[in-house]
Amino acid sequence: MTPRADHLTVEVVDLIGTVVARYHEEYEHAASQHSLTGAQARVLGLLSAEPLPMRRIAQRLKCEPSNITGIVDRLESRGLVERRPDPADRRVKLAAPTDEGRRTAEALRGSLNFAREPLGRLTVTERTLLKELLQRMLGTAPE
Amino acid sequence: MTPRADHLTVEVVDLIGTVVARYHEEYEHAASQHSLTGAQARVLGLLSAEPLPMRRIAQRLKCEPSNITGIVDRLESRGLVERRPDPADRRVKLAAPTDEGRRTAEALRGSLNFAREPLGRLTVTERTLLKELLQRMLGTAPE
DNA sequence: CTGAATATTTCATGCTGTCAAGTAATTGGG
DNA sequence: CCCAATTACTTGACAGCATGAAATATTCAG
């Protein structure tokens, strides 16, 4: 049942590997345009949607909370993020973007041209098809 | 012409982001099963296909050659890789896997189950379709 | 109220990555 | 032929990411 190492599957995995490499490359490049590292850009992007406790950030990024301390430190020292107390729990610190942080996050989204360049080669029908295939692959399809 | 930020494209980019995250996670996990880091596993995988000069490895991984020195140092200190002189050019050192390195690389490929798990949800027809879409997207399609 | 659990930070450590400088070997123009 | 430029690799210094263990402050449960 499970495709072991048949030729087709190997080809697809290879292609996905290429997509992964290309995506990373562009993400890092977009981040460095704004003097940010990839990790910093990811955290800033997360926070621009919604302020989060340090712990939650770590869960989203699947890393240790102690790691987030440093990343938020660097973002904070650039004035892109600030730590706010959580009124509901004094142990918790909420990381929230500043106005400049929000602007940077917005600019970051704009300069991530992975969306435009490779996907621009596909028609709307093809993009729809690709979406459905990826959803099924990831098990996020609505059945 | 280019899809700017339409809903469909954003969805597809999001899905690709999820694929990228999942792929990385599984790759790192497979590597750590063998006490290797992701970078070490990537280099070992490259070399298991064919011994390469340090410079070529750096080009493939898109990083500085001085970085490769350290990674190959660590692989060499574990007996997975050895440096050999290039008979044609005495400046060049070829990094080649040892027997154990080849065995580790083989085991690594086997334990990378990204191929089996998510792709297993797709039929052969769907995998073929996905392959073609990715090829077109990456501009590697045969036309 | 006390002890366990939780949220964050700090510290030590290792790996990845960059850059600049240094060594060794090759190559090409005069 | 020879010397200057180039190329391949290494080294050292430094920043960032990531982990794990220990410390602090706070909450929570019994």
Side-chain angles (χ1 to χ4, degrees):
Chain A
M1 239 14 13
T2 40
R4 200 163 288 254
D6 61 291
H7 192 257
L8 173 59
T9 299
V10 169
E11 269 187 309
V12 176
V13 171
D14 258 22
L15 282 166
I16 292 176
T18 306
V19 170
V20 168
R22 185 95 49 106
Y23 185 97
H24 248 82
E25 206 181 316
E26 298 211 6
Y27 197 94
E28 295 287 328
H29 181 256
S32 77
Q33 299 280 47
H34 300 273
S35 308
L36 294 173
T37 65
Q40 289 165 8
R42 258 185 302 278
V43 169
L44 188 56
L46 266 184
L47 299 182
S48 75
E50 167 193 32
L52 290 173
M54 309 294 279
R55 190 141 216 335
R56 285 255 167 280
I57 304 175
Q59 287 167 344
R60 294 281 195 93
L61 263 64
K62 307 205 186 188
C63 66
E64 299 298 316
S66 61
N67 192 13
I68 303 301
T69 299
I71 296 174
V72 170
D73 279 352
R74 282 165 218 123
L75 288 170
E76 198 169 27
S77 75
R78 289 197 198 179
L80 300 176
V81 153
E82 63 179 6
R83 283 173 166 95
R84 303 192 314 220
D86 181 343
D89 186 338
R90 283 187 301 169
R91 289 172 302 182
V92 173
K93 287 174 191 167
L94 294 171
T98 62
D99 286 345
E100 193 191 339
R102 252 183 297 272
R103 280 193 297 273
T104 303
E106 180 57 35
L108 209 47
R109 267 189 293 279
S111 62
L112 181 56
N113 53 5
F114 187 82
R116 284 188 281 283
E117 215 256 284
L119 281 178
R121 301 206 186 92
L122 301 186
T123 66
V124 169
T125 310
E126 288 173 325
R127 282 201 290 273
T128 306
L129 208 50
L130 180 58
K131 183 187 86 172
E132 288 164 359
L133 286 173
L134 292 177
Q135 281 175 337
R136 273 182 47 68
M137 197 178 108
L138 292 168
T140 47
E143 208 294 8
Chain B
M1 244 357 36
T2 39
R4 201 164 290 254
D6 62 292
H7 191 257
L8 174 59
T9 299
V10 169
E11 270 188 307
V12 176
V13 171
D14 259 22
L15 283 166
I16 293 177
T18 307
V19 171
V20 169
R22 183 93 53 104
Y23 185 96
H24 248 81
E25 205 181 317
E26 299 211 7
Y27 197 94
E28 294 287 328
H29 182 256
S32 76
Q33 299 279 46
H34 300 273
S35 309
L36 294 173
T37 65
Q40 288 164 8
R42 255 184 304 278
V43 169
L44 188 55
L46 265 185
L47 299 182
S48 75
E50 169 192 31
L52 290 173
M54 310 293 278
R55 191 139 212 343
R56 285 254 168 278
I57 304 175
Q59 287 167 344
R60 294 279 196 95
L61 265 62
K62 305 200 187 194
C63 67
E64 298 299 315
S66 63
N67 192 12
I68 302 301
T69 300
I71 296 173
V72 170
D73 279 352
R74 283 163 217 123
L75 288 171
E76 196 169 27
S77 75
R78 289 197 196 177
L80 300 175
V81 153
E82 63 178 7
R83 283 172 166 96
R84 303 192 314 219
D86 181 343
D89 186 337
R90 283 188 302 171
R91 290 173 302 182
V92 173
K93 288 174 191 168
L94 294 171
T98 61
D99 287 345
E100 192 190 340
R102 253 183 296 272
R103 280 193 296 272
T104 303
E106 179 58 35
L108 210 46
R109 268 190 293 278
S111 62
L112 181 55
N113 52 6
F114 187 82
R116 284 188 280 282
E117 216 256 284
L119 281 178
R121 301 205 187 92
L122 302 185
T123 66
V124 169
T125 309
E126 288 172 326
R127 283 201 290 275
T128 306
L129 208 48
L130 180 58
K131 182 187 85 172
E132 288 164 0
L133 286 173
L134 293 177
Q135 280 175 338
R136 273 181 48 68
M137 198 179 109
L138 292 169
T140 47
E143 206 288 16

